[in-house]
Amino acid sequence: MLSLKEIVPSAQNNINTQFIVLDKGRIQGSQNKICLALVADETASVHFQLWNEECDVFQPGDILRLSNGIFSYDRSKNMVLRAGHRGKVEKTGEFTMVFVESPNMSEILWVPDPNNSGKYIQESVISPHSRIFPPMI
Amino acid sequence: MASKLINKAANTYEADNPFATSLSEAFHLLEPQLRPPFPLTIRKPPEYLDINRAILYAILTDTHLAKLHFKHLHAIVTDGYCFFTSLVTRVVNELYTKVFDTVKIQLIWVCLEMIDVSAVGVDGLLVALLRQIRGGDFSDANLWLCLELVGVFMGRWDCLVEEEPLMLSSGLYVFLRLLADHCRLSLDSKVEILKRKEIEFCVRVFKEQFHLCLKIGRDLVRLLQDLVHVPEFRDLWKDLLLQPANFRTSGFSDISQLYQVRTSSRYFLLRITPEMESQLRFLLTSVELGSQSRYQIWFGRKFLNVQDNESLVIDIVRFICCAHHPCNQIILSNVIPRWAVIGWLIKCCTKNHVEANVKLALFFDWLFFNEEVDNIMNIEPGILLMINSIPKYIEMTHSLLEFLFLLVDQYDIERKDLIVRGVSSAFDVLKRKGVVQSFDALIGCEMLSPFLKERLVKLLSCTNVSAVSHLQPADLLSQRLQSPTLGARI
């Protein structure tokens, strides 16, 4: 199981991790619903894209386990984590997980690794925390 | 393997519960052995454990044949039902909110059977079921559970008196507390029927087993206070205050004897569901001050957001003061302290009568504090909340201190000296044990009303008599009047 700080963009569905949902955006789309959520563990946060039924089922405070997830660009070129067609996300609990909101892995500028084709490396931090879901004091 | 225990449709996207899976796996493994003729061999672990799991799963899900499965259970048991009861208790604690309604009905039946055979650990099972009743929740499912459990207590009265008398004290605590909610909202005929049964049970414990009421200690009085408008309890009150001999219990001659018994923390746990307990304990052991906002929102949304259930805050504050005592390592860390959580909970109250009861819950042990029986950790949140609120929330400090003096004056006018003694020794011990260095922050606070400060100074001047707390109350009072510096002289 990876911690969120360890995730790197990839074209493969190979991310197994666990996190807590901190916030949820507006549900968009009609035929296929999508919804962006802020999720985090004790090392980092990231934007997670919920798909169809997942948008209604999961609530802030839920602890989720992601199997075979993918961290890549969505259609608007934002870096998001999601289950994708081959992955699965399940609720394993509620509330009892500590988290940090910074760094946010979706707010990092990722560039192709010049020494390792197909891999990505961090170039710079765009924002220390989510610009979509600002931290709560 | 699909589990017939958990309502998957209502819990989509939930990961499989390993414990529920272990029960259904045992059932599927041993299913051929769950039909007669039953083998007469005595089983050893691990086979013994698996057959227990399989039979429990069968009883809970195969309702038509449950009677047969019970017979089988009675035949194979070699440990006084200890393991079986522990499994049922775990089902209640970990899965109750997720199981099918039919499984809940079976759980009540299992509980009755376990009482009938005096199973080892049946008290733990009853506690687990009582804890699933959610305070202030008027949903059909919750009222059903109240009705079933009050039925268990009445239906198995003799057996419980004989075998598990402390369970009657527990049942009394729970139903007195629930009555405070159920009597407030009694227009509904369903609630009316339930209320009658709850009253009947509670009054019976008072009339027939008063010594078990005494076991609860001082919080019994706190609960009864909310029921003073109910005729049956008004009569009990009169007896408690004026005719204690009517209870025909040797050694009981005055209500102050109840005041002096600190209520055991297990009673406070009875009014907190296991889920609520785990979230509160997590908040108070793992979440750092400054990071609590989201957790507070989630907790509030889940447990305090239902109409009319604000009174739950009273139970939570009693739980935090008396049943959650952090270790020194946590106290010295950045973890959110108990007083801050209680401050937030008080702010959550919108109804005056609830807020007053929450403050009473916070100060209740102050009123009767006696160093020999009481725990300083029960009174620590009250003082820290008052002192730490001064810089930013002076109105909190003011309203708490004002309320404390109101209690001193009004809580029991007949026994005011006892309460003055309790509150002064509470202040005294808080300073002596170093919870606070001094009360200068309060006494010297310019924003606090001079009247309150004067009263505090006066009260603190009584504290040096605590060194002679073993003296009889009357002696103490007269000596205190004669000599304000008694402590120094001794």
Side-chain angles (χ1 to χ4, degrees):
Chain A
M1 196 106 80
L2 285 177
S3 61
L4 289 181
K5 210 179 173 174
E6 294 168 323
I7 62 172
V8 182
S10 155
Q12 285 172 310
N13 265 82
N14 58 1
I15 295 174
N16 296 307
T17 184
Q18 180 158 310
F19 45 74
I20 186 162
V21 181
L22 304 188
D23 208 344
K24 233 168 76 168
R26 234 162 33 101
I27 298 174
Q28 292 175 329
S30 50
Q31 204 157 35
N32 284 318
K33 290 188 281 186
I34 56 166
C35 169
L36 203 63
L38 177 67
V39 304
D41 68 5
E42 66 277 11
T43 65
S45 66
V46 69
H47 294 147
F48 187 78
Q49 191 185 70
L50 299 167
W51 174 257
N52 278 346
E53 237 188 319
E54 295 167 8
C55 300
D56 304 308
V57 171
F58 299 128
Q59 299 299 333
D62 286 352
I63 297 169
L64 309 185
R65 183 170 59 207
L66 175 68
S67 324
N68 302 317
I70 182 164
F71 186 43
S72 62
Y73 288 114
D74 70 358
R75 279 179 230 150
S76 348
K77 288 294 250 176
N78 294 312
M79 196 57 89
V80 295
L81 186 64
R82 62 203 149 98
H85 292 300
R86 289 188 214 114
K88 188 165 87 167
V89 62
E90 285 181 306
K91 176 172 166 179
T92 58
E94 271 177 37
F95 197 92
T96 52
M97 186 168 173
V98 289
F99 63 83
V100 294
E101 296 191 36
S102 183
N104 183 299
M105 305 311 278
S106 297
E107 299 285 14
I108 283 170
L109 187 62
W110 297 90
V111 293
D113 185 347
N115 306 321
N116 209 339
S117 89
K119 304 266 183 213
Y120 280 82
I121 51 167
Q122 300 192 11
E123 171 154 292
S124 60
V125 174
I126 303 167
S127 164
H129 48 72
S130 169
R131 288 168 299 165
I132 302 171
F133 305 99
M136 192 176 271
I137 309 299
Chain B
M1 209 174 294
S3 163
K4 285 199 256 172
L5 283 178
I6 291 174
N7 188 351
K8 265 286 185 185
N11 298 281
T12 44
Y13 288 91
E14 287 243 358
D16 285 336
N17 179 291
F19 174 57
T21 309
S22 75
L23 298 179
S24 79
E25 277 174 1
F27 173 79
H28 289 104
L29 182 74
L30 299 175
E31 202 177 357
Q33 298 179 36
L34 297 178
R35 290 177 226 119
F38 299 125
L40 290 171
T41 50
I42 292 177
R43 296 163 203 263
K44 294 207 164 64
E47 207 199 339
Y48 179 72
L49 306 182
D50 273 336
I51 193 79
N52 270 279
R53 291 189 186 99
I55 294 175
L56 174 60
Y57 186 86
I59 290 172
L60 296 181
T61 60
D62 192 6
T63 50
H64 300 296
L65 292 175
K67 245 189 179 145
L68 181 75
H69 296 305
F70 268 123
K71 225 176 236 172
H72 190 188
L73 174 72
H74 297 322
I76 62 113
V77 153
T78 56
D79 64 348
Y81 302 87
C82 180
F83 183 66
F84 184 81
T85 312
S86 75
L87 288 176
V88 190
T89 307
R90 246 187 105 181
V91 170
V92 176
N93 280 333
E94 295 177 26
L95 306 174
Y96 187 85
T97 53
K98 294 174 188 164
V99 297
F100 285 105
D101 287 349
T102 50
V103 174
K104 293 179 182 170
I105 296 170
Q106 296 302 95
L107 283 168
I108 301 288
W109 186 8
V110 174
C111 177
L112 288 168
E113 285 279 330
M114 292 304 102
I115 294 174
D116 290 343
V117 297
S118 304
V120 175
V122 69
D123 51 338
L125 173 57
L126 258 173
V127 164
L129 284 165
L130 286 170
R131 292 186 70 190
Q132 290 300 330
I133 300 177
R134 296 166 69 123
D137 179 346
F138 289 86
S139 68
D140 286 348
N142 197 55
L143 296 178
W144 173 83
L145 184 60
C146 296
L147 194 62
E148 288 297 318
L149 288 180
V150 79
V152 169
F153 277 96
M154 287 303 263
R156 295 297 186 275
W157 177 273
D158 292 334
C159 194
L160 290 170
V161 168
E162 190 86 358
E163 301 280 340
E164 299 286 349
L166 273 180
M167 281 301 104
L168 288 175
S169 309
S170 298
L172 177 66
Y173 184 89
V174 169
F175 290 111
L176 282 177
R177 176 63 190 84
L178 293 172
L179 273 168
D181 290 336
H182 296 162
C183 289
R184 207 172 277 287
L185 200 105
S186 65
L187 298 167
D188 189 325
S189 66
K190 210 180 328 162
V191 177
E192 192 61 37
I193 293 167
L194 172 62
K195 199 176 91 180
R196 285 284 121 223
K197 296 207 168 188
E198 289 170 339
I199 292 175
E200 191 191 338
F201 167 72
C202 292
V203 169
R204 187 169 180 192
V205 185
F206 272 97
K207 294 259 159 83
E208 297 181 20
Q209 302 288 333
F210 185 68
H211 65 109
L212 295 176
C213 305
L214 296 178
K215 290 254 189 293
I216 296 177
R218 63 176 70 123
D219 280 76
L220 180 72
V221 182
R222 190 177 56 83
L223 296 186
L224 277 176
Q225 240 170 266
D226 286 331
L227 298 171
V228 71
H229 58 284
V230 181
E232 287 86 347
F233 292 104
R234 202 178 305 137
D235 296 343
L236 285 175
W237 260 119
K238 268 189 213 149
D239 284 350
L240 270 177
L241 291 171
L242 306 169
Q243 303 284 337
N246 281 359
F247 292 106
R248 295 188 307 269
T249 299
S250 68
F252 183 72
S253 55
D254 191 74
I255 193 168
S256 61
Q257 287 168 288
L258 263 174
Y259 292 160
Q260 283 156 3
V261 179
R262 179 173 57 83
T263 300
S264 155
S265 59
R266 62 188 191 86
Y267 290 102
F268 305 117
L269 281 165
L270 287 169
R271 289 294 70 236
I272 303 281
T273 63
E275 200 178 16
M276 214 182 285
E277 181 189 359
S278 90
Q279 296 198 1
L280 286 168
R281 290 202 195 272
F282 177 81
L283 186 65
L284 290 161
T285 49
S286 303
V287 177
E288 294 197 349
L289 193 60
S291 311
Q292 74 272 27
S293 308
R294 291 192 195 274
Y295 293 101
Q296 289 176 347
I297 291 169
W298 299 333
F299 186 88
R301 192 192 60 205
K302 186 169 176 100
F303 298 112
L304 305 173
N305 208 12
V306 190
Q307 199 190 359
D308 284 316
N309 78 344
E310 201 174 296
S311 69
L312 198 57
V313 175
I314 304 163
D315 301 311
I316 298 175
V317 168
R318 281 312 271 157
F319 165 80
I320 294 176
C321 287
C322 309
H324 180 87
H325 293 166
C327 61
N328 277 336
Q329 199 189 347
I330 298 273
I331 292 175
L332 296 172
S333 72
N334 283 331
V335 166
I336 183 167
R338 297 186 300 159
W339 62 264
V341 172
I342 291 174
W344 160 64
L345 288 167
I346 292 177
K347 288 272 177 204
C348 288
C349 297
T350 59
K351 299 188 183 93
N352 286 337
H353 71 90
V354 176
E355 191 180 320
N357 267 328
V358 171
K359 290 180 193 162
L360 177 67
L362 177 63
F363 286 126
F364 201 56
D365 291 308
W366 289 58
L367 306 184
F368 319 107
F369 195 84
N370 170 2
E371 220 179 327
E372 279 165 29
V373 295
D374 276 285
N375 189 330
I376 190 170
M377 290 301 278
N378 291 8
I379 58 171
E380 181 236 43
I383 191 69
L384 293 183
L385 180 55
M386 283 196 281
I387 289 187
N388 291 315
S389 297
I390 293 174
K392 274 193 187 158
Y393 304 99
I394 186 71
E395 67 286 359
M396 174 70 83
T397 310
H398 192 279
S399 93
L400 288 177
L401 198 55
E402 191 175 43
F403 190 82
L404 181 60
F405 286 126
L406 185 78
L407 290 174
V408 170
D409 293 337
Q410 313 258 318
Y411 189 76
D412 187 341
I413 298 166
E414 296 288 311
R415 293 162 190 81
K416 189 174 167 181
D417 54 325
L418 182 146
I419 291 173
V420 169
R421 200 163 62 241
V423 175
S424 11
S425 55
F427 272 112
D428 174 55
V429 82
L430 285 166
K431 187 174 155 193
R432 207 155 24 81
K433 294 274 166 80
V435 172
V436 289
Q437 294 305 309
S438 75
F439 300 107
D440 294 351
L442 288 169
I443 297 165
C445 176
E446 284 186 6
M447 293 173 290
L448 214 53
S449 104
F451 173 72
L452 287 178
K453 286 188 279 190
E454 236 169 74
R455 286 215 57 181
L456 181 59
V457 170
K458 208 167 140 203
L459 191 82
L460 291 175
S461 70
C462 309
T463 58
N464 43 13
V465 294
S466 67
V468 287
S469 59
H470 59 277
L471 292 183
Q472 288 303 305
D475 301 343
L476 196 66
L477 189 67
S478 60
Q479 289 187 34
R480 194 189 311 160
L481 290 172
Q482 286 160 12
S483 162
T485 55
L486 184 69
R489 207 149 45 97
I490 287 177

